Amino acid sequence: MKSLAIDSGRLQHQFADLASISSAPAPVVTRILFSEADLRARQYVKQLCLEAGLVVREDAVGNTFARWPGRNPQRPAVSTGSHIDAIPNAGRYDGVVGVLGAIEAMRALRESGFEPARPIELIVFTAEEPTRFGIGCLGSRLLAGALSPEKAASFKDGDGRSLEELRREAGFGAQALQTVRLAANSYAAFVELHIEQGPLLEQENVPVGVVEKIAAPSTLRVRLTGVGGHAGAMLMPERHDALLAGAEIALTVEQAALTSGSPDTVGTTGVFRIEPGAVNSVPCRAWLEIDFRDTQLSTRDAALRRIEDSVAQICKRRGVNFELERLNVDAPATCDSALIETVVAACGQLGLPVKRMISRAYHDSLFMAQVCPATMIFIPCRGGVSHRPDEYSSPEQIKNGVAVLALTLARLAGSSR
Ligand code: GLV
Ligand code: MN
Ligand code: MN
């Protein structure tokens, strides 16, 4: 194998191209599942995969697979990948580094003369972000069998449109959602390259992180129904204001995180919509989505129970009706120790220091870890900033990550020469 040449210029052009495919003006990147921007971004990435000589297929939920078959195409593949959907008001690197980086890693390996002994496959997962249906990792959940296809088909977005309807409209209707789940032993390993989305690598001036554990995420949805009315005429003792019940719930979420006993607990009320939304009208309905996480399942679950008890008490006291739904309550993932050592060895080969770390953000790796041995490669991002338009990793930081990914994939897939 000749030495590995990662083409940073080519990659940077691709980051700019993909960032320009957005529902919001630059520098904001917004690509919600099955929006026009999401569909165009999928086309762009598929074209890159074809140009890289990869064999492309898509499943019934739009997960995209781009395969380098290698010398023994029947053997379980080594897989890599991430997502290209982006939350409202996002930046250009979350997820995208692991997709464009994987294509570049495979191109660089091929150009170096490497021929894998087993397939290497990129997976571009559908809707890692929860924006449309309130649940993250939709594609990888279905691949892992962690979500039933029947339940997924019935998911409704904020406009009342179902996943079943939307996936058909997006062109993925030829097969049923039941076909998405992976057969046993489909993959030998999964390695995801991603920006850290936290400050540690930058603060410690370490170019690469390898992930040992992914924190346990959960999402609650609370629908509140109070009594609306005229803001001038309805006296205060008569009120059953849905917004005020929601506001108390949001504060309870903060308290539950602050008092859990673990510094790793985080709670966020990231969605809070009210109706009718008129300045002179008492809010009659509120809709909250609450994100709650910890590295320890027991701590997270105890805090969730406290939040749920508080919701009931607050609503009773205020005479507001509530419906509470647990959209997801996931376990943490433990990454595979042999894979971690493979990443560490790849870093050693490149002379790059590496830090073992926890991922506080969730990723499709959380579910791929249920399918096969999995780990993640992190690169620094400026100020630890993510889920914002000013998210940034430098060309050099990305190049390092891609080189580590390429050598890791090569070690896992084995050379046939
Ligand atoms: C993923 O985007 C997360 O919210 O952790
Ligand atoms: Mn994200
Ligand atoms: Mn991501």
Side-chain angles (χ1 to χ4, degrees):
M1 184 167 132
K2 287 190 297 180
S3 71
L4 200 63
I6 309 296
D7 189 337
S8 197
R10 175 162 71 190
L11 256 179
Q12 289 302 314
H13 273 112
Q14 293 167 0
F15 277 103
D17 285 347
L18 202 45
S20 74
I21 306 176
S22 167
S23 315
V28 174
V29 179
T30 299
R31 282 191 295 264
I32 310 298
L33 171 66
F34 297 151
S35 62
E36 198 254 346
D38 178 46
L39 296 179
R40 273 203 295 138
R42 288 164 180 271
Q43 286 310 324
Y44 177 79
V45 168
K46 262 198 292 182
Q47 189 56 38
L48 290 183
C49 291
L50 293 171
E51 284 165 17
L54 305 174
V55 182
V56 177
R57 79 174 175 91
E58 291 160 324
D59 71 12
V61 77
N63 290 315
T64 302
F65 305 81
R67 179 171 282 235
W68 181 2
R71 287 292 163 98
N72 300 288
Q74 76 293 348
R75 290 179 64 187
V78 169
S79 56
T80 180
S82 198
H83 62 101
I84 56 168
D85 67 321
I87 64 162
N89 202 40
R92 62 168 67 174
Y93 300 100
D94 176 6
V96 173
V97 168
V99 172
L100 296 181
I103 299 170
E104 181 58 30
M106 285 197 263
R107 283 175 84 146
L109 283 171
R110 200 196 289 275
E111 284 163 14
S112 76
F114 176 81
E115 174 73 20
R118 62 166 78 230
I120 300 180
E121 184 157 283
L122 161 67
I123 312 176
V124 187
F125 297 96
T126 283
E128 189 265 356
E129 301 291 7
T131 315
R132 188 143 202 172
F133 292 108
I135 187 166
C137 300
L138 182 61
S140 51
R141 261 177 218 278
L142 285 164
L143 285 172
L147 168 66
S148 90
E150 293 74 22
K151 185 161 180 211
S154 70
F155 283 161
K156 295 253 170 40
D157 71 3
D159 296 324
R161 305 194 65 202
S162 72
L163 172 60
E164 186 58 23
E165 176 188 350
L166 288 163
R167 76 174 186 99
R168 285 173 186 274
E169 196 176 287
F172 302 113
Q175 287 178 298
L177 277 182
Q178 280 73 6
T179 59
V180 172
R181 185 172 184 173
L182 290 169
N185 302 320
S186 293
Y187 294 111
F190 178 76
V191 183
E192 178 171 4
L193 173 63
H194 206 283
I195 59 170
E196 181 198 341
Q197 303 182 290
L200 299 181
L201 291 174
E202 185 185 68
Q203 280 170 4
E204 295 172 25
N205 199 21
V206 180
V208 184
V210 62
V211 173
E212 295 184 312
K213 188 171 180 185
I214 304 174
S218 64
T219 317
L220 302 180
R221 179 180 280 161
V222 187
R223 286 194 189 85
L224 302 170
T225 309
V227 179
H230 195 288
M234 203 174 189
L235 292 178
M236 299 310 281
E238 296 164 27
R239 294 202 183 186
H240 303 282
D241 184 321
L243 177 144
L244 292 179
E248 273 199 61
I249 292 168
L251 292 172
T252 294
V253 169
E254 184 192 33
Q255 278 310 308
L258 287 171
T259 58
S260 75
S262 153
D264 292 330
T265 316
V266 283
T268 309
T269 303
V271 172
F272 195 148
R273 288 197 286 269
I274 55 161
E275 288 177 11
V279 69
N280 55 353
S281 180
V282 177
C284 58
R285 273 185 291 275
W287 167 295
L288 282 69
E289 286 174 6
I290 297 161
D291 180 303
F292 208 85
R293 317 184 190 200
D294 198 276
T295 47
Q296 294 300 330
L297 198 57
S298 54
T299 310
R300 200 257 340 251
D301 286 347
L304 274 186
R305 283 193 293 276
R306 280 205 302 281
I307 294 171
E308 289 172 344
D309 290 348
S310 299
V311 170
Q313 283 164 20
I314 292 165
C315 290
K316 185 161 182 231
R317 178 164 38 79
R318 288 186 169 274
V320 166
N321 290 328
F322 73 96
E323 285 169 58
L324 192 150
E325 197 183 346
R326 287 185 167 197
L327 293 181
N328 62 292
V329 276
D330 302 311
T334 302
C335 297
D336 182 78
S337 50
L339 273 190
I340 291 170
E341 295 316 317
T342 307
V343 172
V344 169
C347 291
Q349 195 177 337
L350 292 160
L352 295 171
V354 56
K355 176 180 171 65
R356 294 163 194 262
M357 52 201 312
I358 289 173
S359 173
R360 294 171 191 281
Y362 60 71
H363 304 279
D364 294 301
S365 294
L366 191 67
F367 293 95
M368 289 306 286
Q370 297 178 12
V371 167
C372 62
T375 191
M376 301 186 68
I377 299 166
F378 275 177
I379 57 166
C381 54
R382 190 174 57 200
V385 165
S386 184
H387 283 185
R388 277 177 24 190
D390 53 340
E391 183 180 78
Y392 178 76
S393 290
S394 71
E396 189 61 30
Q397 288 167 331
I398 294 171
K399 189 175 174 178
N400 284 338
V402 174
V404 175
L405 178 65
L407 290 188
T408 302
L409 294 174
R411 282 168 179 258
L412 295 171
S415 172
S416 59
R417 303 247 164 107

